[in-house]
Amino acid sequence: MAMSWIYLVVAGILEIGWPVGLKLAQSPATRWQGIAMAVLLMAASGVFLWLAQRQIPIGTAYAVWTGIGASGTFLVGVLFFGDPSSLMRYLGVLLIIAGVVTLKLAH
């Protein structure tokens, strides 16, 4: 069971990569690299999610996967792309993380 949770965390971290790839694809200089990054990381994330779902219920796995991806993408956007941040936005991300932790503890 522990390995399934490791797969799920890896899937969530890889989930961060495809929106970043799509962001990079907005620039003509990195368009094709960004698209390739998005497609490859989306596929890799999907494979690890599939591995995790062998032992973790689909609802829990999907919620944790998207929670890690959403929170991580938010942080990458703020730190590397100058996305706006505010106390309320950080609070929203903390609520997502709290939900992910709650799902893990309830499993």
Side-chain angles (χ1 to χ4, degrees):
M1 180 62 81
M3 199 63 194
S4 292
W5 282 97
I6 292 170
Y7 290 149
L8 187 54
V9 169
V10 170
I13 292 169
L14 292 171
E15 175 75 359
I16 298 166
W18 72 266
V20 173
L22 293 179
K23 181 70 173 176
L24 294 173
Q26 293 176 2
S27 169
T30 56
R31 176 151 299 133
W32 295 110
Q33 295 94 328
I35 291 170
M37 176 181 170
V39 170
L40 290 172
L41 290 173
M42 189 183 303
S45 179
V47 167
F48 279 96
L49 177 62
W50 172 76
L51 290 169
Q53 286 180 344
R54 292 189 295 182
Q55 298 209 340
I56 300 171
I58 185 173
T60 300
Y62 184 73
V64 170
W65 178 64
T66 58
I68 293 170
S71 300
T73 302
F74 169 79
L75 291 174
V76 168
V78 169
L79 295 173
F80 297 103
F81 293 102
D83 288 359
S85 65
S86 68
L87 181 60
M88 293 302 287
R89 289 174 57 94
Y90 282 109
L91 179 59
V93 170
L94 284 175
L95 289 170
I96 292 170
I97 293 168
V100 167
V101 169
T102 302
L103 284 168
K104 168 59 175 127
L105 293 174
H107 189 264

